């Protein structure tokens, strides 16, 4: 089991459980059509974001299959939530997890997602003892695919026409990393 009770500091960020007062910062990016474009939700208004943040605030541990650890990604200097990162426990028995993230477009291209994702992969492999972590994204989401590749994840599959998504058939990309690949990764 993994439970997050205190913030995790990286070189430039703080990762911590969500709080209700984060809703304003989260709404700042979840309301945007360019962010929602590849997500399974449409742009969210303040009330929808409030409900989503309340749900994410409860996602602080990985104990059973399907549990999700959701962390706010905070710029320490400003205290602003610039994104969210999650690790889902897909199978405790087989030690499988899934990484996901969403970041404010104004904070993209600065290495924040890579920094936060490496910290969460460390939690998955080094603390939780996962054997394999996957990342999935919409095939047209080149930014997410690029992030997964920068993390050192291998492309494993392209699933064609997986679902009718926002008016068109969606293709999905799946990337993965094994624990032995994580251990051999140059994270410098």
């Amino acid at each position: 089991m993994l439970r997050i009770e205190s913030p995790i500091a990286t070189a430039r960020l703080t990762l911590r459980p969500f709080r209700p007062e984060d809703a304003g910062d989260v709404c700042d990016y979840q309301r945007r059509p360019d962010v929602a474009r590849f997500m399974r939700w449409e742009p969210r208004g303040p009330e929808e974001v409030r409900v989503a943040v309340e749900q994410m605030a409860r996602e602080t541990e990985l104990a059973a299959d399907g549990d999700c650890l959701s962390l706010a990604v905070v710029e320490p200097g400003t205290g602003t939530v610039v994104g969210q990162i999650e690790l889902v426990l897909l199978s405790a028995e087989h030690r499988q997890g899934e990484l996901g993230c969403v970041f404010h477009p104004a904070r993209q291209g600065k290495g924040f997602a890579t920094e936060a994702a490496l910290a969460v992969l460390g939690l998955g492999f080094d603390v939780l003892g996962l054997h394999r972590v996957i990342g999935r994204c919409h095939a047209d989401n080149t930014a997410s695919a690029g992030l997964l590749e920068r993390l050192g994840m291998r492309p494993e599959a392209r699933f064609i026409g997986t679902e009718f998504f926002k008016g068109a058939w969606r293709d999905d990309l799946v990337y993965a990393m094994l624990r032995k690949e994580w251990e051999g990764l140059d994270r410098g």
Side-chain angles (χ1 to χ4, degrees):
M1 182 175 99
L2 171 66
R3 180 171 179 79
I4 302 297
E5 295 176 355
S6 57
I8 299 162
T10 67
R12 301 176 296 158
L13 303 168
T14 300
L15 310 180
R16 61 159 173 77
F18 277 92
R19 303 172 186 150
E21 59 267 24
D22 295 330
D25 288 345
V26 174
C27 190
D28 207 28
Y29 59 87
Q30 285 195 1
R31 67 177 171 77
R32 297 173 57 114
D34 55 338
V35 171
R37 177 179 174 208
F38 297 118
M39 305 308 294
R40 298 195 188 285
W41 33 265
E42 294 296 333
R44 291 176 168 165
E47 181 58 22
E48 293 166 306
V49 169
R50 184 191 62 74
V51 170
V53 168
E54 285 178 358
Q55 173 62 38
M56 290 187 295
R58 291 189 295 272
E59 297 173 339
T60 60
E61 71 178 27
L62 298 174
D65 292 0
D67 284 354
C68 180
L69 173 67
S70 292
L71 299 172
V73 180
V74 181
E75 277 185 312
T78 65
T80 303
V81 176
V82 298
Q84 58 201 63
I85 191 149
E86 65 182 31
L87 182 63
V88 177
L89 183 58
L90 297 176
S91 171
E93 177 184 2
H94 301 290
R95 299 182 328 209
Q96 308 281 314
E98 181 174 357
L99 177 73
C101 66
V102 182
F103 277 79
H104 194 295
R107 299 313 203 286
Q108 292 174 1
K110 299 174 191 287
F112 290 163
T114 302
E115 188 173 324
L118 285 170
V120 170
L121 283 172
L123 290 175
F125 288 119
D126 301 333
V127 178
L128 195 56
L130 294 178
H131 167 70
R132 182 172 185 268
V133 176
I134 67 166
R136 291 186 261 201
C137 65
H138 190 293
D140 293 336
N141 190 342
T142 56
S144 288
L147 168 64
L148 296 171
E149 290 172 11
R150 280 191 306 282
L151 293 171
M153 298 180 102
R154 288 173 285 96
E156 287 197 333
R158 180 184 183 116
F159 294 105
I160 308 297
T162 57
E163 67 181 295
F164 198 70
F165 178 79
K166 298 184 180 183
W169 286 103
R170 172 187 174 125
D171 293 354
D172 287 310
L173 301 177
V174 178
Y175 289 78
M177 178 183 286
L178 298 176
R179 178 183 188 83
K180 66 182 180 183
E181 293 167 318
W182 170 255
E183 290 169 347
L185 189 66
D186 178 11
R187 295 187 285 272

